[in-house]
């Protein structure tokens, strides 16, 4: 723990370090220590080091974070198609996540950024978004890389789990045992996550409609698609376009869905 120059702090911050699967152990330690040092130099803060021995591979569970302190962590990812890197600085207050994402031409530029940039960013998140005595509903709704989505998700009726891998691909496992390959795309400047079925349709992809109907319609069915938005770091919500019941038959339609990141 460290204290400000005046012997007291206006804010307490729990520091959880860096989350990334694109950097090695040396890069992780260097960057994680750098952010910690810079946080400790901000006069407004008292910093509690919450890092574990093993680097985090996914964002902390917001529901488990203290409501008596602010919580800070950085998510770092590399663009899959270029040399660019992205850093998302995340400040959590009373379960609400406030984020700012920046783009860098190289990893070296992340390390060489002046320390006052981090200080001004965090102060801006506090002063612009909330005060210690008041919360609001703001959070980052923009995804800069499919890396953020990597992991296992669930919560949709008829689906056991959705697994999203690095590189914008994944698969869906249904409760009935069927498996569907999917691709993930970011649209509208990262505010919309579009997930598309890849490969041929299967009657088992439509567990909510009668089996015989599904067998007849699956042959010519369009790929199932999802259009989701970020609700918080561990929740995606939106619509799914698929075959839905229509009397004794079925037709293409949309249903509302919510995905939760699985621990």
């Amino acid at each position: 723990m460290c204290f400000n120059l005046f012997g007291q702090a206006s804010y307490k911050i729990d520091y959880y370090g860096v989350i990334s699967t694109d950097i090695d152990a040396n890069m992780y330690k260097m960057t994680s220590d750098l952010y910690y040092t810079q946080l400790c130099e901000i006069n407004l803060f008292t910093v509690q080091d919450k890092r574990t021995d093993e680097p985090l591979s996914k964002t902390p569970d917001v529901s488990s974070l203290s409501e008596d302190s602010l919580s800070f962590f950085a998510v770092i990812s590399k663009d899959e198609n270029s040399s660019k890197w992205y850093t998302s600085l995340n400040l959590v207050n009373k379960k609400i996540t406030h984020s700012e994402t920046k783009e860098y031409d190289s990893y070296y530029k992340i390390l060489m950024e002046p320390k006052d940039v981090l200080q001004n960013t965090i102060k801006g998140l506090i002063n612009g978004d909330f005060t210690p005595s008041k919360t609001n509903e703001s959070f980052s709704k923009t995804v800069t890389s499919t890396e953020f989505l990597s992991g296992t998700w669930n919560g949709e009726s008829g689906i056991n789990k959705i697994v999203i891998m690095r590189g914008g691909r994944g698969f869906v496992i249904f409760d009935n045992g069927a498996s569907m390959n999917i691709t993930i795309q970011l649209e509208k400047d990262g505010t919309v996550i579009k997930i598309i079925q890849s490969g041929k349709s299967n009657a088992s992809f439509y567990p909510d409609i009668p089996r015989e109907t599904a067998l007849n319609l699956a042959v010519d069915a369009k790929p199932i698609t999802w259009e989701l938005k970020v609700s918080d770091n561990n929740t995606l919500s939106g619509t799914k376009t698929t075959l839905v019941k229509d009397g004794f038959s079925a037709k293409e339609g949309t249903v509302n869905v919510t995905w939760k990141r699985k621990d």
Side-chain angles (χ1 to χ4, degrees):
M1 183 181 294
C2 53
F3 296 89
N4 67 40
L5 296 178
F6 302 102
Q8 60 182 3
S10 300
Y11 302 92
K12 293 188 295 182
I13 284 192
D14 292 338
Y15 175 59
Y16 287 87
V18 171
I19 297 93
S20 180
T21 57
D22 288 325
I23 58 179
D24 60 27
N26 290 332
M27 295 167 69
Y28 166 82
K29 186 178 189 312
M30 186 184 304
T31 313
S32 185
D33 288 348
L34 175 65
Y35 281 135
Y36 178 69
T37 299
Q38 292 185 353
L39 279 173
C40 287
E41 293 177 353
I42 302 176
N43 292 332
L44 290 175
F45 299 156
T46 298
V47 183
Q48 179 69 42
D49 192 349
K50 294 286 187 175
R51 289 175 292 177
T52 60
D53 292 336
E54 294 295 326
L56 296 175
S57 59
K58 64 179 182 178
T59 58
D61 180 4
V62 174
S63 65
S64 69
L65 301 181
S66 171
E67 292 197 8
D68 298 325
S69 304
L70 305 176
S71 298
F72 175 82
F73 57 89
V75 179
I76 297 178
S77 60
K78 187 180 186 304
D79 190 291
E80 300 158 4
N81 301 310
S82 72
S83 61
K84 293 185 180 298
W85 289 81
Y86 300 96
T87 298
S88 176
L89 303 181
N90 297 268
L91 201 66
V92 182
N93 180 42
K94 299 186 185 301
K95 315 306 182 189
I96 305 299
T97 302
H98 306 257
S99 302
E100 180 169 317
T101 301
K102 299 182 180 181
E103 178 184 291
Y104 300 86
D105 291 331
S106 68
Y107 198 88
Y108 175 78
K109 290 191 175 182
I110 297 176
L111 299 176
M112 296 307 295
E113 190 169 61
K115 64 182 181 181
D116 62 334
V117 174
L118 175 65
Q119 297 176 7
N120 290 336
T121 297
I122 297 179
K123 288 179 182 178
L125 290 175
I126 292 176
N127 296 330
D129 289 336
F130 59 88
T131 65
S133 61
K134 180 180 179 181
T135 62
N136 64 23
E137 299 301 320
S138 67
F139 47 78
S140 175
K141 295 184 179 181
T142 302
V143 179
T144 57
S145 169
T146 56
E147 180 71 26
F148 167 81
L149 304 170
S150 297
T152 303
W153 302 77
N154 60 12
E156 187 175 330
S157 175
I159 290 179
N160 178 267
K161 61 182 176 182
I162 305 105
V163 178
I164 298 179
M165 301 177 292
R166 293 174 60 185
R169 295 187 179 276
F171 55 90
V172 177
I173 302 296
F174 291 82
D175 289 338
N176 57 27
S179 176
M180 173 203 295
N181 291 323
I182 54 175
T183 59
I184 298 90
Q185 301 173 359
L186 303 180
E187 299 184 347
K188 298 182 180 179
D189 296 326
T191 60
V192 174
I193 303 160
K194 190 166 185 177
I195 299 173
I196 307 168
Q197 167 195 334
S198 60
K200 294 182 179 180
S201 293
N202 185 314
S204 296
F205 297 171
Y206 314 103
D208 295 331
I209 64 177
R211 179 67 176 177
E212 288 300 320
T213 301
L215 286 169
N216 291 331
L217 297 179
V219 177
D220 299 316
K222 294 180 180 179
I224 296 173
T225 60
W226 291 260
E227 288 197 3
L228 307 175
K229 294 185 178 182
V230 175
S231 296
D232 60 46
N233 280 342
N234 297 301
T235 308
L236 304 176
S237 58
T239 60
K240 174 184 181 180
T241 301
T242 184
L243 293 180
V244 297
K245 290 179 67 175
D246 181 28
F248 294 104
S249 186
K251 65 178 182 180
E252 186 178 75
T254 60
V255 294
N256 295 325
V257 297
T258 298
W259 291 5
K260 292 284 188 179
R261 195 188 297 273
K262 190 175 182 180
D263 293 334

